[in-house]
Amino acid sequence: MSDSAGGPVSNPVSGPASAPASGPVSGPEGGPAEPGWRRLSPRMLLVHPVQEVVRAAPALLGLLVAGTSSGGKGHLWSAAGVGLTVLFGMLRWFTTTYRISPEQVQVRRGLLNRKVLTVPRDRVRTVDVTSHVLHRVLGLARVEVGTGTSDRRHDSRLKLDALSAAEAARLRVELLHRSPAAQSPAAQSPTAQSPGASPVPPYAGSTPMGGATGETELARMRPGWVRFGPFTMSGLVTVGVVGGFASRLVSEGNIDLDRVGPVRETWRWFSAMSLALEIATVLLALVVFVGVASTLGYVLAYGNFRLTRHAEGTLHVTRGLLTRRATTIEERRLRGVEIDEPLLLRAVRGARLSAVTTGLRSKERGQRGGSTLLPPAPRAEAVAVAGLVLSHAPGATGGPSPATAPLAGPLTGPLTGPLTGPLTPHGPAALRRRFTRAYGVHGPVLLALLALWAWAGLPSWPWLTAAALLPVTALLAADRYRSLGHALTSGYLVTRWGALVRRRVALRCDGVIGWTVERSFFQRRAGLATLTATTAAGAQSYQVRDVDLAEALRLAAVGTPGLLDPFLERAGSVNQ
């Protein structure tokens, strides 16, 4: 399939790359003497050393302490370490060059082991532009070219750290907007009108920005959304990072915490409490710290968030209060959207929206936020923005199959049917399976704890706790069943599942490249099956779980007409 992109090709070399040079690339950056190859911005000589010193800070601190304790010359050892680190950071600029030809993008780096990373331009799926605080002070931006591969052995992103901000913006447009230069933005826009045609009204909820750029704003960060920050629980990661850094700092610096007065007094005060009070204190402190850290992380990550659509047929996401990041998603690669509702966020009627698009894998989505279309926000807002995105997407007028209820004519408003329409429930067999699977784990654990308490002297509180959690297990099982549902509407396959994180995915039927019907031993006894829609976008597969077998076959047959006919005919002849 054309959507499954290959990653960068890494070739160790001892000299110039064998690919022909395309001539110097125009722009403000200076280039090396070799034709076609160009260096990063010289201002990175001020950034790379600082980055390396920050990364090596714990080791440099340990070197300082070790040198002081051994001979009183710790400052000399530390100064030598800083000097070597700065030199290493400067070498990154001298040994990194890049060039762009009409066919490919190449990056050459390394001093002793020279490598050339090559990405064919027709494999470029995303171009992210990121500016950290120091980058923004110096007018720089880091460019990451993504190919959408999921190869764990190699990084599928080609990085240029960094170019001037203007050059990075120009490079992003050049790599993604490969339409003919003579074509005007008005001609490229799906809303361009032919002479005599009646004007198409603007999409409800979007804000045309006007100007030559043809930019339309779909969403913008609102101050009231900050209230969803504590319910994202992203502060748990901060707890781990801070704890790990503090532990390493204490270990590298040989710090004796018993000699630190505030720490000693706090520990003495904490040790004087009862066990129940200690647990309550730790939980309260953890909740407060996680809540504050989650809110702060939300503001830093999503401050100044904007989602806009450009006339070239792209969605542009910018976000970040201190570190600014810009991500561009081509609408022609968009295959659907996904609305996620984690349990705590769902309790306050919040949700987050992401794109199901080729070139952005689910692993990449979780680590980088590359497919984020809306941060945690009111669910109604997420549904409205998703409708706007689907309305703009190519093929939004529906598919050719009447069974998928295509839309007649061009859309003049948000396509919210796949996101708000009713879903088909999965029946009593799926409900029984939810409870069977839940208590199939909880029951044996409870019995094992009872046995250990009766015959091995285990304290009683473990099995009492497990018994008290039986109603919670029932509630989770019931919620998992309520989350199940599916539908075929407006040319989209809609599936919903999950309890701790409820997900609703609207996937374009013409983006499905295959179907898989799976039936475990217990599913066969219950007459159920799991239907998996395979696609080149997003997570690459989306499931309709625990649905009747006949309904699973119907979904596959209607979603992609004619694809299963040979198999169904063969199965019918075998049964006869």
Side-chain angles (χ1 to χ4, degrees):
M1 299 298 295
S2 60
D3 286 334
S4 57
V9 179
S10 175
N11 297 320
V13 296
S14 57
S18 59
S22 59
V25 179
S26 60
E29 305 292 343
E34 191 173 347
W37 291 95
R38 312 186 62 206
R39 295 196 189 278
L40 305 175
S41 173
R43 282 169 282 179
M44 283 306 297
L45 289 172
L46 301 175
V47 178
H48 280 154
V50 175
Q51 291 177 337
E52 296 300 331
V53 170
V54 171
R55 290 193 187 100
L60 293 175
L61 180 61
L63 191 64
L64 175 63
V65 174
T68 303
S69 60
S70 60
K73 298 181 179 180
H75 61 283
L76 296 179
W77 288 102
S78 181
V82 171
L84 290 176
T85 304
V86 169
L87 178 61
F88 177 75
M90 295 178 66
L91 284 176
R92 288 177 57 189
W93 183 84
F94 286 104
T95 59
T96 303
T97 55
Y98 74 98
R99 70 177 175 183
I100 301 173
S101 69
E103 296 82 19
Q104 58 193 10
V105 183
Q106 292 180 300
V107 174
R108 185 172 60 183
R109 64 190 182 193
L111 180 62
L112 301 178
N113 185 21
R114 298 285 281 173
K115 290 185 177 180
V116 175
L117 303 178
T118 302
V119 173
R121 290 187 61 173
D122 60 354
R123 297 295 191 182
V124 174
R125 296 295 181 261
T126 59
V127 179
D128 290 354
V129 180
T130 306
S131 297
H132 298 289
V133 176
L134 191 55
H135 288 74
R136 294 175 63 182
V137 170
L138 298 175
L140 300 172
R142 182 180 65 190
V143 178
E144 297 185 22
V145 181
T147 61
T149 59
S150 55
D151 189 354
R152 297 180 180 179
R153 297 172 298 175
H154 306 286
D155 190 356
S156 64
R157 303 179 70 86
L158 186 149
K159 300 178 182 179
L160 296 173
D161 189 9
L163 308 176
S164 68
E167 176 70 5
R170 185 197 66 79
L171 184 61
R172 176 180 61 83
V173 174
E174 178 184 354
L175 292 179
L176 287 179
H177 303 158
R178 293 184 292 272
S179 57
Q183 187 177 2
S184 64
Q188 294 176 8
S189 174
T191 60
Q193 302 297 314
S194 59
S198 58
V200 178
Y203 295 96
S206 62
T207 305
M209 305 302 293
T213 59
E215 182 183 81
T216 301
E217 184 177 277
L218 303 181
R220 177 187 288 268
M221 177 72 177
R222 299 178 183 176
W225 295 359
V226 177
R227 70 181 186 272
F228 295 101
F231 300 96
T232 62
M233 300 301 291
S234 60
L236 287 174
V237 179
T238 306
V239 172
V241 172
V242 172
F245 180 79
S247 176
R248 184 175 179 180
L249 189 63
V250 170
S251 176
E252 295 286 348
N254 293 323
I255 300 175
D256 187 3
L257 294 179
D258 290 337
R259 298 182 179 180
V260 181
V263 175
R264 182 176 63 252
E265 293 300 325
T266 301
W267 179 253
R268 183 179 302 171
W269 167 77
F270 181 76
S271 301
M273 299 180 181
S274 62
L275 178 60
L277 192 57
E278 286 180 351
I279 296 176
T281 303
V282 170
L283 290 178
L284 179 62
L286 184 63
V287 168
V288 172
F289 183 83
V290 170
V292 173
S294 299
T295 304
L296 182 62
Y298 181 92
V299 173
L300 293 178
Y302 298 112
N304 299 321
F305 175 89
R306 287 183 73 231
L307 171 64
T308 58
R309 183 187 179 275
H310 292 245
E312 297 88 354
T314 58
L315 297 172
H316 193 55
V317 179
T318 56
R319 62 183 178 90
L321 194 62
L322 298 180
T323 298
R324 188 71 57 83
R325 181 177 181 186
T327 303
T328 300
I329 300 174
E330 293 183 284
E331 287 183 309
R332 65 189 181 92
R333 303 191 186 281
L334 191 67
R335 300 295 180 265
V337 294
E338 177 178 333
I339 294 181
D340 296 338
E341 300 174 79
L343 186 61
L344 292 180
L345 200 58
R346 180 158 37 116
V348 293
R349 298 187 178 182
R352 56 193 179 207
L353 177 67
S354 58
V356 178
T357 178
T358 60
L360 290 174
R361 301 293 185 245
S362 58
K363 178 181 178 181
E364 183 175 289
R365 176 193 63 203
Q367 293 181 347
R368 304 177 181 268
S371 62
T372 299
L373 295 179
L374 197 70
R379 189 183 186 280
E381 186 76 14
V383 171
V385 173
L388 291 172
V389 171
L390 294 183
S391 301
H392 289 306
T397 55
S401 172
T404 59
L407 301 177
L411 292 173
T412 58
L415 178 60
T416 58
L419 307 166
T420 59
L423 300 180
T424 302
H426 287 193
L431 175 62
R432 290 192 299 269
R433 181 167 166 80
R434 300 276 83 73
F435 278 88
T436 300
R437 296 183 66 180
Y439 283 111
V441 175
H442 197 152
V445 170
L446 176 58
L447 293 177
L449 293 176
L450 273 172
L452 291 175
W453 169 72
W455 294 301
L458 188 73
S460 60
W461 67 264
W463 75 263
L464 289 175
T465 303
L469 291 177
L470 285 173
V472 178
T473 300
L475 292 176
L476 287 176
D479 186 63
R480 288 186 64 197
Y481 172 74
R482 284 195 298 269
S483 297
L484 289 178
H486 67 273
L488 275 174
T489 178
S490 304
Y492 284 85
L493 169 68
V494 183
T495 178
R496 190 180 66 184
W497 73 96
L500 296 180
V501 179
R502 177 182 291 178
R503 292 183 170 91
R504 179 165 179 154
V505 175
L507 178 66
R508 279 172 47 185
C509 292
D510 58 5
V512 177
I513 59 178
W515 300 90
T516 302
V517 178
E518 297 177 305
R519 306 185 72 193
S520 67
F521 172 78
F522 297 102
Q523 282 181 314
R524 290 196 300 270
R525 291 179 59 87
L528 301 175
T530 295
L531 177 67
T532 302
T534 304
T535 179
Q540 298 186 314
S541 62
Y542 295 94
Q543 294 181 336
V544 182
R545 305 183 180 186
D546 288 340
V547 67
D548 289 341
L549 178 60
E551 178 66 7
L553 296 177
R554 186 193 72 83
L555 289 175
V558 174
T560 51
L563 181 64
L564 297 183
D565 290 349
F567 302 96
L568 296 178
E569 292 175 0
R570 183 180 303 176
S573 61
V574 170
N575 292 334
Q576 291 177 359

